[in-house]
Amino acid sequence: MAISSARLPAVASAGPRPRRAGRLAPYGFVAPFFVLFAAFGLFPLLYTAYVSLHRVELQTADRMDWLGLQNYTRLLEDPFFWNALRNTFTIGVLSTVPQLLMALGLAHLLNYRLRGRTFFRVAMLMPYATSVAAATLVFAQLFGRDYGLINWALGSVGLDPVDWQADTWASQFGVSAIVTWRWTGYNALIYLAGMQAIPADLYESAAVDGASRWQQFRHITVPGLRPTIVFTVVVSTIGATQLFGEPLLYEGNSGGGISHQYQTLGLYMYEQGWSFFHLGRAAAVAWVMFLLIVVLALVNAAVAARRNRTDR
Amino acid sequence: MRPFRSRTTAAALGSTALAAALLLTGCGSGGPASKDTAADAKVTLTVDLFGTFGFKESGLYDEYSKLHPNVTIKQTDTQDEAQYWQALQTKLAGGGGLADVQGLEVGRAASVVQKQADKFTDLKTLGLGGVNDELVPWKGAAVKTADGRVLGAGTDIGPEAICYRTDLFKAAGLPTDRTELAAKWSTWQGYLDLGKTYAGKAEPGNAWTDSAAGMFTAEVGQQKVRYADESGKPVFDTSAAVRTAWTDANRLVADGLSAKLPQWTPEWNKAFTTGKFATLSCPAWMIGYIKGQAGDAGTGKWDIAPGPGKTGNWGGSYLTIPRTAKHPKEAAELVKWLTAKEQQAKLFTKQGSFPSSTGAQAEIKATTDPYFNNAPIGQIFSESAANMPAQVLGTEDGVIGKAFTDALGEVERTATAPDTAWQHAMDNIRKANGN
């Protein structure tokens, strides 16, 4: 806004100069986004960086003591931080990998001429439309140790009950199951859209050559979808790094289980800030997460670029 | 009884976001609220509580609204005090979203008095100077600042006993008579021994008690000094009281007497109806909680007997008025009325929350409770309260208590060695304190 309104009078006084105004118009149209971004994105980001260099406690939030980088160095020495980082990684892998593979398979099936195809496609999006809170509460009930449906089913085939909340792998699996359930359909629809851009005659000629559906999938669908796959991998990686709602609501506390066995970075940050009231420390975690995401995005992009080069 | 998770967590998230926004935009405190002075103007008072205070359940709000037709009371409630405290801190920091009356657990009193006295109204300025005069002395002293401000009005205290299921005891061939049981479990060792007898005869999957955490908290609550000493120095890592309770609770787990249910969770709540455990450490306010969870179907199945050590204090609360309260005058009137001895006495007979007012304590001695086989709850809890130590409160009691009960959860649910779990508790306390 600032740019266009500052320049406009000059434009008007210099008489009709449509080319200049025409050049400026796009800035005017994109300005609202950048103004809002500066107010609600950039400013908080920078202010968080500022806070992260101080000791700030929620109970006495008006007092700030300069610490320099101490919050960051203390963070790197904190075993709970490394634990959270490790959990974020394992839960990320446990949820993202099966999620994307299943989405790919589902999209492939939906790409065939099916009766009630629209119904299935809409149904795919239902979990995504469900709120995290609602989904997690239902899953927490399913995974209950004494009265949960899953342990009941295990028991009915003679297996021992699993403590889905206290056990490390079982609890991480539980959290991953919620994430997978919510996002599989969403990714499937993105893949489906990508698949529709692959020319149908490729499949037809492959079929004529006697390629099975599995061979068609491997040799036509997957290569054709590569940019889409890269996109979903990047988005899912970012999502997994920020994982917060599901593990928070899984047992209803920010510790991530009694041994912090499924405490993710997001939860760790929340715990520092809103359970222990160390806002400076929480801000440092937020910045570390931000940098981590930037690095992960760059790595993803580099891998994708390299694959593209080797293919050509 | 009420939806405990979705709403509370959503509220916590909402208030967190709000506080974060306020903090980030650099405006730390909300503006002064409009103070409605007209005597008969319609007023809606908001009351935000945790656990089961029982004001609504025992009909006190209805009664108050009849006495003051212009006042409507709106109550919100979080089951788990740890979550409630977290949300409260967030709102205090942001200065928004606070109710006219906020509940306060005794374990947080020292923290509020020493760190946040400025965020609560001195009740003396609202004409409630004498509000704590009738209480047992330590109760009132715990919410008084060094310069004499009174930040909260005492509601209940938590004298301890043991609640037990007579039907499960009968099925296992154990005595059900209160006096006989009280004699058998006059010590924690006796309680564990009887538990072993029970475990030998009860049906599989039916444990002696709900959790090691419940026993631990009750046992630590019997000592004058537990997590901090009189000078405020933390002694949780060296205190004999904590060590003994820790060892006993671990013995409970080793003997397989715990149902391994984390307290205040849905699983725990459900176990009240299914009868998964036979005994429960029972501070007086637990009576209301049991009635809420077990419902009418539990009538007559439960009973109460004096517990090991015969005394101890677990919990108890205050009502406070935050600085940002919209209707401080009306809130003060409500607080005064709710904590007066008549109402405290009524709350005990209907709900079980034991009065901190000595006047009310004198009135309720003869109370029996039909829900608990007509147990003489007035007598049992009065005796417990009379012998109770004047507990020393530290600023971090809430955090420390949670670290220990979490660690006991690790021992019973993930087979962590007790020594390792103890170390985890120490690490968690250190982390919470920012060291």
Side-chain angles (χ1 to χ4, degrees):
Chain A
M1 285 303 218
I3 301 170
S4 61
S5 57
R7 295 271 176 106
L8 273 175
V11 170
S13 65
R17 286 177 63 181
R19 284 192 58 202
R20 180 88 182 271
R23 271 212 309 274
L24 284 176
Y27 292 106
F29 288 123
V30 296
F33 170 79
F34 286 97
V35 169
L36 287 176
F37 173 74
F40 296 104
L42 197 61
F43 173 71
L45 192 72
L46 296 177
Y47 190 71
T48 306
Y50 176 73
V51 168
S52 77
L53 302 174
H54 293 78
R55 184 199 314 280
V56 192
E57 300 287 306
L58 182 69
Q59 286 159 324
T60 51
D62 39 356
R63 224 187 66 207
M64 284 186 157
D65 303 325
W66 173 258
L67 279 186
L69 288 175
Q70 205 180 314
N71 277 331
Y72 291 91
T73 51
R74 289 272 280 283
L75 191 64
L76 299 180
E77 289 162 9
D78 184 1
F80 292 102
F81 168 75
W82 295 105
N83 173 59
L85 187 65
R86 197 166 50 238
N87 289 342
T88 307
F89 178 75
T90 48
I91 295 176
V93 171
L94 274 177
S95 54
T96 310
V97 174
Q99 181 196 128
L100 293 184
L101 289 177
M102 277 160 53
L104 200 54
L106 282 169
H108 183 62
L109 294 179
L110 283 178
N111 203 19
Y112 287 115
R113 297 195 168 280
L114 293 174
R115 207 168 290 154
R117 194 159 65 162
T118 316
F119 166 77
F120 286 112
R121 287 179 183 178
V122 171
M124 290 292 237
L125 215 52
M126 289 302 287
Y128 173 66
T130 315
S131 85
V132 195
T136 308
L137 287 172
V138 171
F139 271 87
Q141 299 281 317
L142 292 179
F143 283 118
R145 186 192 62 196
D146 293 334
Y147 311 105
L149 187 68
I150 294 175
N151 272 351
W152 173 82
L154 287 179
S156 67
V157 294
L159 294 171
D160 283 337
V162 175
D163 193 334
W164 292 103
Q165 281 164 338
D167 183 74
T168 306
W169 284 107
S171 61
Q172 294 200 355
F173 176 82
V175 172
S176 303
I178 308 168
V179 181
T180 307
W181 177 79
R182 281 196 73 220
W183 291 94
T184 301
Y186 174 84
N187 283 308
L189 287 191
I190 293 183
Y191 286 147
L192 185 60
M195 282 174 189
Q196 314 232 305
I198 300 172
D201 43 350
L202 280 180
Y203 290 100
E204 275 161 28
S205 48
V208 171
D209 291 344
S212 69
R213 285 191 162 172
W214 172 239
Q215 284 168 327
Q216 293 175 19
F217 176 70
R218 272 189 58 198
H219 297 291
I220 303 172
T221 311
V222 173
L225 272 186
R226 185 157 291 146
T228 318
I229 292 174
V230 170
F231 170 76
T232 57
V233 167
V234 172
V235 170
S236 305
T237 311
I238 293 174
T241 316
Q242 294 177 327
L243 191 62
F244 174 68
E246 287 88 347
L248 175 70
L249 296 172
Y250 194 52
E251 273 187 291
N253 78 59
S254 56
I258 44 176
S259 327
H260 311 288
Q261 70 275 17
Y262 59 89
Q263 184 173 44
T264 58
L265 281 177
L267 269 194
Y268 176 76
M269 174 179 74
Y270 181 76
E271 190 186 38
Q272 285 293 342
W274 310 109
S275 298
F276 301 149
F277 315 130
H278 309 317
L279 292 186
R281 200 76 74 81
V285 183
W287 258 88
V288 168
M289 281 176 70
F290 175 69
L291 295 177
L292 194 70
I293 290 172
V294 170
V295 169
L296 282 172
L298 290 177
V299 168
N300 269 322
V303 169
R306 194 152 161 244
R307 288 217 55 157
N308 280 345
R309 247 199 328 274
T310 48
D311 285 346
R312 273 173 198 154
Chain B
M1 183 166 58
R2 43 177 81 92
F4 33 84
R5 270 193 179 186
S6 51
R7 194 180 56 198
T8 60
T9 316
L13 287 176
S15 55
T16 302
L18 179 70
L22 286 169
L23 192 72
L24 290 172
T25 48
C27 81
S29 62
S34 67
K35 280 163 191 163
D36 206 346
T37 43
D40 51 353
K42 289 261 177 234
V43 171
T44 302
L45 286 176
T46 50
V47 181
D48 189 17
L49 305 174
F50 56 88
T52 309
F53 273 66
F55 297 145
K56 192 193 263 171
E57 292 83 348
S58 57
L60 288 182
Y61 290 152
D62 291 342
E63 212 176 302
Y64 191 79
S65 289
K66 269 195 204 112
L67 295 169
H68 302 80
N70 60 322
V71 175
T72 317
I73 299 170
K74 263 170 74 183
Q75 180 191 291
T76 47
D77 196 320
T78 308
Q79 262 331 335
D80 185 348
E81 195 274 337
Q83 285 180 21
Y84 167 82
W85 174 248
Q86 203 172 320
L88 175 65
Q89 290 305 317
T90 312
K91 292 179 211 162
L92 284 173
L98 286 160
D100 294 312
V101 177
Q102 293 275 165
L104 179 70
E105 217 263 347
V106 65
R108 314 286 188 183
S111 175
V112 162
V113 165
Q114 290 177 32
K115 296 184 186 168
Q116 298 177 306
D118 294 342
K119 299 197 165 147
F120 293 90
T121 314
D122 177 4
L123 296 184
K124 285 196 298 191
T125 63
L126 295 171
L128 298 188
V131 71
N132 286 342
D133 286 355
E134 283 195 359
L135 307 190
V136 287
W138 64 267
K139 181 77 178 174
V143 280
K144 211 165 175 180
T145 63
D147 58 357
R149 282 179 280 172
V150 176
L151 302 183
T155 57
D156 63 322
I157 54 176
E160 295 171 1
I162 296 278
C163 294
Y164 61 99
R165 287 277 299 261
T166 49
D167 54 335
L168 298 178
F169 270 45
K170 234 177 257 161
L174 257 55
T176 56
D177 177 64
R178 279 170 222 123
T179 336
E180 203 178 336
L181 286 171
K184 276 191 196 299
W185 61 44
S186 66
T187 62
W188 287 106
Q189 187 55 52
Y191 176 74
L192 290 174
D193 289 343
L194 193 63
K196 269 194 254 182
T197 316
Y198 176 84
K201 295 175 180 171
E203 293 195 13
N206 199 315
W208 175 239
T209 190
D210 63 326
S211 66
M215 177 178 162
F216 174 82
T217 314
E219 197 175 338
V220 198
Q222 301 187 337
Q223 304 300 325
K224 184 169 158 51
V225 171
R226 24 172 223 174
Y227 302 140
D229 69 10
E230 280 100 337
S231 68
K233 196 170 83 83
V235 292
F236 57 87
D237 48 347
T238 51
S239 134
V242 174
R243 256 303 166 186
T244 317
W246 173 265
T247 313
D248 285 349
N250 274 295
R251 199 172 300 153
L252 177 91
V253 178
D255 290 343
L257 305 182
S258 164
K260 307 176 182 181
L261 290 160
Q263 296 195 317
W264 321 114
T265 62
E267 295 272 300
W268 188 62
N269 291 340
K270 261 181 225 157
F272 281 92
T273 44
T274 55
K276 210 158 159 49
F277 52 82
T279 68
L280 179 67
S281 287
C282 235
W285 45 261
M286 194 71 93
I287 291 180
Y289 197 84
I290 293 175
K291 287 178 184 169
Q293 294 301 334
D296 291 341
T299 314
K301 285 184 180 162
W302 290 87
D303 208 324
I304 304 178
K310 298 207 167 42
T311 188
N313 184 58
W314 176 351
S317 305
Y318 297 91
L319 295 179
T320 67
I321 303 177
R323 269 283 156 84
T324 56
K326 281 201 184 73
H327 309 287
K329 263 186 63 181
E330 290 81 357
E333 266 168 53
L334 175 67
V335 165
K336 187 175 184 184
W337 189 82
L338 284 174
T339 56
K341 75 169 188 183
E342 295 78 21
Q343 278 62 252
Q344 288 206 7
K346 186 176 232 174
L347 205 54
F348 179 72
T349 44
K350 293 224 167 141
Q351 202 58 30
S353 301
F354 193 80
S356 55
S357 147
T358 47
Q361 286 179 4
E363 268 177 37
I364 50 85
K365 288 216 162 87
T367 309
T368 57
D369 192 334
Y371 191 92
F372 288 84
N373 276 334
N374 291 315
I377 57 169
Q379 187 206 333
I380 292 174
F381 287 117
S382 292
E383 278 170 21
S384 178
N387 298 318
M388 184 187 278
Q391 220 156 46
V392 180
L393 301 172
T395 50
E396 305 299 326
D397 282 5
V399 171
I400 296 169
K402 184 171 186 311
F404 278 119
T405 50
D406 273 0
L408 284 169
E410 282 193 278
V411 175
E412 57 188 2
R413 292 170 71 197
T414 66
T416 307
D419 288 345
T420 316
W422 173 272
Q423 199 48 54
H424 288 176
M426 297 299 126
D427 291 347
N428 281 320
I429 294 169
R430 186 176 44 74
K431 174 167 79 155
N433 291 339
N435 296 316

